[in-house]
Amino acid sequence: MGLSHAVLIAVILLTCSFSATAAPSNSCLECHQTHYVEQGICAGCHHGNQRTSRKGLAHSGLIRGRYASFTNSRSAEVLSGIQLAEKAACRRCHVLNDTGNRLATNLDSLLWTAQPEAIRSALVNPALYMPIFHFSELDLNRLVTTVLAGGLKAGKALREPPMVVHFSAAESAKQNIFVKNCGSCHKLLSKRDGGLGVGIVGPNLSGLLSKFYPQTFEDNKTWDEEKLKRWLENPRAVRKNAVMRPVPLKPEEWDQLLKTFATS
Ligand code: HEC
Ligand code: HEC
Ligand code: HEC
Ligand code: HEC
């Protein structure tokens, strides 16, 4: 008696679990044809909701075709996006693919926290301390795809809240060494003091003393403390046609400036 009951229960359990694992209905196919079947399910590359045939719901959080290559880290889109990010030196401010300075939002978290179109518009209408790049539509597709790919690699665990960069408008900020001596011509995103300076005639100097800043010192060298010191003493001794004038600093001012440039 006990045994037959147990067998019956086992049979019921098996039947239930079998029907639960039967192929889930894919309602995307009610409106679309399949493609890339061998590379996974629709939602793997496009997100969205496969369990409803209402378009609005099925498309919620949809990743459009132009970004859907993010699941393939060796796709042409992702690879050229990485090159673009390298050239634009996004990593002097952001982490991308697990590398970079943490002065602004970790881009690897955006796959999980932002819509692709919001990532795109952040590049078209950049925040105050992010440079304006003027990317082409095609390059925007590639960069967004690369940012999403970075998120996939980082994994779902990475759900960092967006970074809030503070702007030092306070009276005390006006005494800041960078604001006083450089801020009329340059901007700087500083780990310690947030966004500093308002100038646009000189380059945005965020991350200057880190390896992620473009190698703009003579002969494509990376900037460091000693090179910055040489530059401030006399830019024309470094770059023949430099427009920037020498900025003489007292030793204590130099120390303060270095602290402002620190990225960690
Ligand atoms: C009720 C019909 C319907 C369902 C269900 C549906 N779609 Fe769509 N989908 C459309 C239509 C119609 C378009 C054309 C553009 C538009 O109207 O949004 C479209 C467009 C798309 C696009 C192209 C967008 C672009 O610009 O690249 C993708 C990708 C897509 N759907 C994926 C999916 C996926 C994945 C699912 C399932 C999770 C799904 N769709 C479910 C009707 C549907
Ligand atoms: C391996 C990733 C991948 C999978 C899986 C995948 N797609 Fe796509 N999808 C893409 C890419 C990449 C594009 C961009 C155009 C192209 O490469 O074909 C795209 C484009 C689309 C488009 C837009 C087509 C157009 O011409 O605008 C639709 C609709 C779409 N996919 C629906 C689906 C549906 C439905 C499924 C599930 C049956 C699915 N996709 C599975 C990667 C994928
Ligand atoms: C000089 C520093 C700097 C550089 C270089 C820079 N950004 Fe930004 N970026 C910022 C700041 C500041 C913000 C706004 C505050 C934040 O999100 O941390 C921002 C915001 C963003 C956002 C929106 C983040 C969100 O939370 O929604 C994206 C996406 C982004 N940047 C991508 C890029 C990419 C891609 C590059 C390279 C092409 C780049 N940024 C280069 C400073 C920079
Ligand atoms: C009156 C405007 C002005 C001031 C003030 C100024 N700069 Fe510059 N700076 C420039 C300009 C313009 C450039 C572009 C290169 C050139 O001189 O042609 C530049 C270039 C630079 C560069 C080279 C960056 C690169 O990628 O090529 C560094 C580093 C730099 N400035 C640091 C500073 C620092 C630090 C201060 C303050 C102590 C400062 N600058 C103050 C105008 C200024």
Side-chain angles (χ1 to χ4, degrees), residues 177-178 181-182 192 208-209 223-233 244 247-262:
I177 185 77
F178 183 88
N181 293 279
C182 327
R192 198 183 59 168
L208 178 75
L209 298 180
W223 289 82
D224 59 26
E225 292 182 16
E226 180 267 325
K227 293 188 181 107
L228 177 60
K229 198 167 204 168
R230 270 174 60 198
W231 175 265
L232 293 181
E233 274 161 15
M244 184 177 141
V247 185
L249 293 176
K250 300 190 193 92
E252 65 272 19
E253 290 178 321
W254 168 248
D255 289 345
Q256 279 181 42
L257 186 70
L258 287 185
K259 284 191 186 126
T260 310
F261 273 108

Side-chain angles (χ1 to χ4, degrees), residues 183-239:
S184 57
C185 302
H186 294 281
K187 284 184 188 168
L188 175 74
L189 202 51
S190 138
K191 187 81 190 174
R192 198 183 59 168
D193 304 313
L196 298 172
V198 293
I200 50 169
V201 298
N204 182 321
L205 296 176
S206 306
L208 178 75
L209 298 180
S210 72
K211 63 178 176 182
F212 303 109
Y213 189 85
Q215 298 174 313
T216 52
F217 197 76
E218 59 182 357
D219 304 327
N220 300 331
K221 287 200 197 79
T222 310
W223 289 82
D224 59 26
E225 292 182 16
E226 180 267 325
K227 293 188 181 107
L228 177 60
K229 198 167 204 168
R230 270 174 60 198
W231 175 265
L232 293 181
E233 274 161 15
N234 185 4
R236 289 216 173 146
V238 175
R239 207 178 282 167

Side-chain angles (χ1 to χ4, degrees), residues 14-188:
L14 271 174
T15 323
C16 288
S17 65
F18 184 73
S19 57
T21 53
S25 68
N26 180 353
S27 48
C28 311
L29 300 182
E30 289 177 24
C31 306
H32 294 289
Q33 297 188 319
T34 56
H35 68 165
Y36 302 121
V37 183
E38 68 294 343
Q39 292 183 52
I41 61 170
C42 312
C45 295
H46 292 290
H47 289 191
N49 183 348
Q50 296 193 171
R51 292 174 182 278
T52 167
S53 30
R54 288 167 62 191
K55 191 180 120 199
L57 292 175
H59 281 185
S60 102
L62 187 75
I63 292 184
R64 299 172 68 178
R66 61 193 192 187
Y67 313 126
S69 312
F70 80 101
T71 56
N72 178 358
S73 61
R74 282 170 303 164
S75 62
E77 287 80 0
V78 173
L79 293 179
S80 46
I82 288 173
Q83 272 175 10
L84 285 163
E86 199 64 45
K87 218 170 139 212
C90 310
R91 285 181 174 132
R92 82 189 108 138
C93 298
H94 295 284
V95 168
L96 174 67
N97 266 324
D98 206 24
T99 0
N101 293 328
R102 294 174 180 276
L103 299 174
T105 297
N106 181 336
L107 298 183
D108 292 347
S109 67
L110 295 182
L111 172 62
W112 316 107
T113 58
Q115 295 295 321
E117 295 310 323
I119 301 176
R120 188 187 195 91
S121 71
L123 289 164
V124 177
N125 304 303
L128 193 54
Y129 282 85
M130 176 162 150
I132 302 174
F133 292 107
H134 307 290
F135 292 116
S136 69
E137 294 296 312
L138 216 59
D139 284 350
L140 287 169
N141 290 348
R142 293 165 173 150
L143 276 164
V144 174
T145 307
T146 294
V147 167
L148 298 177
L152 198 64
K153 208 167 146 212
K156 208 158 191 154
L158 196 88
R159 281 180 187 269
E160 291 183 8
M163 177 98 90
V164 179
V165 172
H166 55 282
F167 306 113
S168 304
E171 202 54 36
S172 63
K174 301 205 178 98
Q175 300 309 313
N176 178 286
I177 185 77
F178 183 88
V179 173
K180 267 202 321 206
N181 293 279
C182 327
S184 57
C185 302
H186 294 281
K187 284 184 188 168
L188 175 74

